[in-house]
Structures are given as structure tokens and as C-alpha cells.
């Protein structure tokens, strides 16, 4: 077994069972991509078994902190089974579920979602790439399914020195699937859709938006960065009189309109704009056009902390504009999925945006990812999605 020896003082995070070991923390030692290494302190104390990644700044990711643990096929069978078993305790109202959530489930770099009878997996680190076939078989055995589609096309694979790859890893079948979520349905394409096909992490937020629409009976709703219309359908199902949806992708808008029709919702209650969100918000402000509820669910502006300052300006701008066109008593659902923006910083950004817009509001709720996208005690970086529900005074 190859050994990685850390520099003095660099063992502290591992003693707290944080799974990442950065390049600069390592004094000596190397291994092949994905190979399991023994990680030791500068004094030779065992710290963890980890997967080595010679191309990444995160040079190793811990599999286990138990010196007696063997990292073999049995380890992956047990770890996959434990993660999948835990999902049965979450009370998820959908046939679309995140089964494996990377570091939070002890499998760094692995994302697995279930859509009905099909699994979709992303292998984004050298460690899970090396064990891909074992993991694929373990997933199918734990779920009793036969179809597994690979979506290893995330940009993070390049940081691991891995080429992007997609396609059927086990079995084959349709890539157009039907997602059942709460009281509505959404068409999902696992080969072309964002992430593994859809944003399952916003499942609970869509339900809360439905609840607000049902209770407050909004007349005019604006859904920005609408993608394929998850919030649009939730709002219309909740009783919103009309929802305007904006996205810069024509194909996504077409799918959003199809999802409205799929749920038997009147087409005249929805309108779709193929446009830039910032420009549209400014145009609405100039026109004096206002809304009773606005959803801001933008793409990732800050993938890392290094991008946080520039991203903060972008988040502030869209929230400032949204506040300007939000009716008094109206509700803003605003989100950031940027790992480089903390929940505390996002709150400050939204507060600053309100001040610049001359608007105050009540923070009704703080939102996060659905429970099948867990953050753990030892890995706070798992909290990438954060949101606020603000009612304008």
C-alpha cells in the first residue's frame, strides 16, 4: 500500500473527518489516478484511506477513517447500500431521488439519481472512476434495477485529468422519462438535461412555491431562469393566475411549455420569453410592470470562493431589479447554487440589494437542497444550495 505523508499541522482537518486532502498539505508520496493510499500525519499516525488524484488540487479524497477498513468491492457494496437505504427514511414525494450525494454519503465524486426505473450516475473524481464497474454493479444490486446511464460530462472531471463520457453503462432504454413530483409531472431527458437530467435539489422549494401560490393566489408570477418550467408548473398548479417564464434557451422554453400542457394546465395562463433575465428585469422596471411573486433561480455564478466577489455583484444586481418590480406584499423566492457563496454571504447580498432598491421585506423562510442532497456535520461544503423567501413590506 502506497503511503502519503502530510506536512506538520496538516492533519487537523482529517482528524475532524473532513474528506479532502489538498496538494500543499502533502509532504511526500504519490500514486496512480484513483489508487487507494494510506494517509499519515508527519509523525506517521494513520489518518485515512483515500483515493489519490495526481491532477487535482484536491490531491486525495478520503474513503474511510477506520484503519481496519479494507477498500475493496465489499466496501463499495456496503456504502452504496447504506446510502440508498437512508433515502427510504426521507419521505420523498417523487419517483426522482438523489441516491448518492458524493462526500456526504462517503463516496467522494459520485452522484447518482434515480428517475423511475433508471439510474443516472456522474463519476467526477479519479477514485470513483477507478472503481466504476464495481460501483455500477453495486448500485443495480441495491436498487434491483437494470438500467444505468452515465452522465460523466461535468467540467470538474477535467480537473481530475478525466475525459468526459456519457452513455449507457448498464442496460439501455428510453432517455425521455416522466418525473412524478408531488401533484404534478415533468418530462426529463437524462441524456441532454442539466446535471443528471433535472434539478432534483429544488423539489421541496417547488412544493413551497406551490403552497404560497395556493394560499396567496398570486395574479402575476415571474419565473426567471425557468429552464424546463419546474417552478412554472408548481405555480400554476397552486393557482397562480398567470406565470411569465424567462430563459435564454429556446429548447428549454419549449420543454417548459410542453410540461405545462403535460399537466393539463391552460396554455393562456403561461407565457414564455426567450431573453436575457437582467435585460428583461430592467425592461419591466422601465415599463412599470410589476409582479406578485418572483422566482430567481440562476445558474452557478461562483463555482469556487475565488469567484465569489464577481458573483456577489451579479446576484445583487438581479435581486435589486427583482425587488424593484415586486409588488408590496409580494413574495421573492431567491436562490444561489454557488458553492463559493455561503448562506451568510447570500443573505447579506440580498439585504444589500433590497437597500439599493429602497425596499424592505420579511424573511419568511430559509431554503436549502432537498433532504436527499444532504449536508453532513463533517462536510459543510455540501451546503451548496441556499435560498430565501422574502415578502416585500
Amino acid at each position: 500500500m502506497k503511503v502519503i505523508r502530510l506536512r506538520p499541522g496538516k492533519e487537523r482537518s482529517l482528524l475532524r473527518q473532513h474528506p479532502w486532502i489538498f496538494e500543499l498539505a502533502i509532504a511526500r508520496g504519490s500514486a496512480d489516478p484513483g489508487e487507494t493510499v494510506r494517509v499519515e500525519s508527519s509523525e506517521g499516525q494513520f489518518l485515512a484511506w483515500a483515493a489519490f488524484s495526481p491532477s487535482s488540487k484536491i490531491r486525495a479524497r478520503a474513503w474511510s477513517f477506520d484503519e481496519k477498513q479494507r477498500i475493496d468491492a465489499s466496501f463499495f457494496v456496503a456504502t452504496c447500500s447504506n446510502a440508498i437505504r437512508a433515502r427510504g427514511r426521507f419521505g420523498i414525494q417523487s419517483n426522482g431521488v438523489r441516491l448518492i450525494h458524493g462526500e456526504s454519503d462517503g463516496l467522494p465524486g459520485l452522484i447518482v439519481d434515480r428517475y423511475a426505473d433508471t439510474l443516472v450516475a456522474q463519476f467526477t473524481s479519479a477514485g470513483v472512476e477507478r472503481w466504476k464497474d464495481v460501483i455500477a454493479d453495486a448500485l443495480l444490486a441495491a436498487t434491483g434495477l437494470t438500467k444505468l446511464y452515465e452522465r460523466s460530462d461535468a467540467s470538474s472531471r477535467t480537473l481530475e485529468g478525466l475525459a468526459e463520457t456519457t452513455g449507457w453503462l448498464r442496460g439501455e432504454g428510453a432517455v425521455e422519462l416522466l418525473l412524478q413530483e408531488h401533484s404534478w409531472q415533468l418530462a426529463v431527458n437524462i441524456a441532454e438535461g442539466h446535471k443528471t437530467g433535472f434539478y432534483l435539489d429544488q423539489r421541496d422549494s417547488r412544493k413551497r412555491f406551490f403552497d404560497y401560490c395556493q394560499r396567496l393566489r398570486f395574479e402575476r408570477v415571474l419565473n426567471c431562469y425557468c429552464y424546463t418550467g419546474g417552478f412554472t408548473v408548481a405555480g400554476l398548479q397552486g393557482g397562480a393566475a398567470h406565470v411569465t417564464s424567462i430563459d435564454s434557451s429556446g429548447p428549454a422554453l419549449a420543454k417548459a411549455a410542453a410540461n405545462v400542457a403535460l399537466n393539463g394546465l391552460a396554455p393562456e395562463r403561461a407565457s414564455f420569453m426567450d431573453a436575457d433575465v437582467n435585460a428583461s428585469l430592467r425592461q419591466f422596471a422601465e415599463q412599470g410592470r410589476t409582479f406578485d411573486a418572483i422566482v430567481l433561480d440562476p445558474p452557478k455564478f461562483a463555482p469556487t470562493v475565488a469567484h465569489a466577489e464577481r458573483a456577489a455583484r451579479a446576484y445583487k444586481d438581479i435581486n435589486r431589479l427583482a425587488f424593484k418590480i415586486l409588488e408590496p406584499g409580494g413574495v421573492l423566492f431567491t436562490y444561489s447554487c454557488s458553492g463559493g457563496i455561503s448562506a451568510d454571504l447570500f443573505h447579506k447580498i440580498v439585504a444589500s440589494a433590497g437597500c439599493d432598491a429602497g425596499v424592505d421585506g420579511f424573511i419568511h423562510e430559509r431554503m436549502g437542497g432537498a433532504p436527499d442532497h444532504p449536508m453532513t456535520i463533517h462536510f459543510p461544503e455540501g451546503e451548496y444550495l441556499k435560498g430565501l423567501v422574502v415578502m416585500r413590506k
Side-chain angles (χ1 to χ4, degrees), residues 133-190:
D133 285 337
V134 169
I135 290 170
D137 291 339
L139 291 168
L140 295 180
T143 58
L145 302 180
T146 60
K147 294 182 290 186
L148 172 57
Y149 193 88
E150 183 175 5
R151 279 294 304 271
S152 297
D153 51 357
S155 60
S156 56
R157 273 180 69 92
T158 61
L159 302 176
E160 296 283 309
L162 303 172
E164 296 183 5
T165 180
T166 63
W168 289 103
L169 192 59
R170 295 288 187 275
E172 60 181 18
V175 296
E176 290 279 355
L177 302 174
L178 196 61
L179 176 66
Q180 305 279 347
E181 181 180 274
H182 303 298
S183 61
W184 52 83
Q185 299 177 316
L186 298 164
V188 173
N189 188 306
I190 59 173

Side-chain angles (χ1 to χ4, degrees), residues 10-297:
K10 296 299 183 181
E11 73 281 356
R12 296 191 186 101
S13 63
L14 285 169
L15 291 173
R16 295 193 298 270
Q17 297 196 3
H18 190 284
W20 289 352
I21 303 156
F22 288 91
E23 175 187 8
L24 296 178
I26 297 174
R28 65 177 184 270
S30 185
D32 294 332
E35 187 175 1
T36 298
V37 296
R38 177 187 173 96
V39 183
E40 296 180 349
S41 70
S42 60
E43 297 177 348
Q45 174 192 5
F46 171 84
L47 296 171
W49 300 112
F52 194 76
S53 181
S55 299
S56 176
K57 289 185 177 179
I58 303 176
R59 193 50 55 94
R61 292 174 169 83
W63 293 127
S64 174
F65 300 93
D66 180 0
E67 189 172 5
K68 297 178 181 179
Q69 177 69 61
R70 292 186 62 187
I71 308 303
D72 54 14
S74 297
F75 167 80
F76 291 99
V77 169
T79 306
C80 288
S81 295
N82 289 339
I84 292 168
R85 191 179 304 114
R87 269 55 182 181
R89 303 175 65 86
F90 291 163
I92 297 166
Q93 301 299 307
S94 177
N95 67 348
V97 182
R98 170 69 47 96
L99 297 181
I100 308 287
H101 192 56
E103 282 82 349
S104 295
D105 285 304
L107 293 166
L110 179 64
I111 297 297
V112 182
D113 290 335
R114 176 175 182 165
Y115 297 95
D117 65 349
T118 303
L119 300 181
V120 185
Q122 285 186 337
F123 298 83
T124 63
S125 70
V128 292
E129 178 73 16
R130 189 180 181 99
W131 289 94
K132 182 186 291 185
D133 285 337
V134 169
I135 290 170
D137 291 339
L139 291 168
L140 295 180
T143 58
L145 302 180
T146 60
K147 294 182 290 186
L148 172 57
Y149 193 88
E150 183 175 5
R151 279 294 304 271
S152 297
D153 51 357
S155 60
S156 56
R157 273 180 69 92
T158 61
L159 302 176
E160 296 283 309
L162 303 172
E164 296 183 5
T165 180
T166 63
W168 289 103
L169 192 59
R170 295 288 187 275
E172 60 181 18
V175 296
E176 290 279 355
L177 302 174
L178 196 61
L179 176 66
Q180 305 279 347
E181 181 180 274
H182 303 298
S183 61
W184 52 83
Q185 299 177 316
L186 298 164
V188 173
N189 188 306
I190 59 173
E192 299 176 357
H194 292 179
K195 293 191 171 184
T196 64
F198 196 60
Y199 293 99
L200 296 179
D201 51 2
Q202 286 284 38
R203 182 193 311 110
D204 289 0
S205 284
R206 287 187 287 270
K207 177 58 165 61
R208 292 302 293 141
F209 189 61
F210 166 89
D211 293 340
Y212 274 77
C213 290
Q214 191 173 57
R215 179 166 58 85
L216 298 177
R217 293 293 171 178
F218 299 126
E219 290 291 323
R220 301 176 307 281
V221 171
L222 178 63
N223 181 15
C224 300
Y225 311 98
C226 71
Y227 187 43
T228 57
F231 278 103
T232 300
V233 170
L236 292 171
Q237 283 277 57
H242 187 274
V243 179
T244 300
S245 303
I246 306 176
D247 202 280
S248 58
S249 168
L253 289 168
K255 291 177 180 178
N259 277 328
V260 169
L262 176 65
N263 288 275
L265 300 163
E268 62 270 17
R269 293 175 59 201
S271 57
F272 300 92
M273 295 176 57
D274 186 347
D276 176 77
V277 168
N278 290 62
S280 298
L281 293 175
R282 288 188 175 87
Q283 183 181 45
F284 293 153
E286 292 169 0
Q287 295 171 344
R289 186 176 174 184
T290 59
F291 297 87
D292 304 312
I294 299 174
V295 178
L296 289 179
D297 187 20

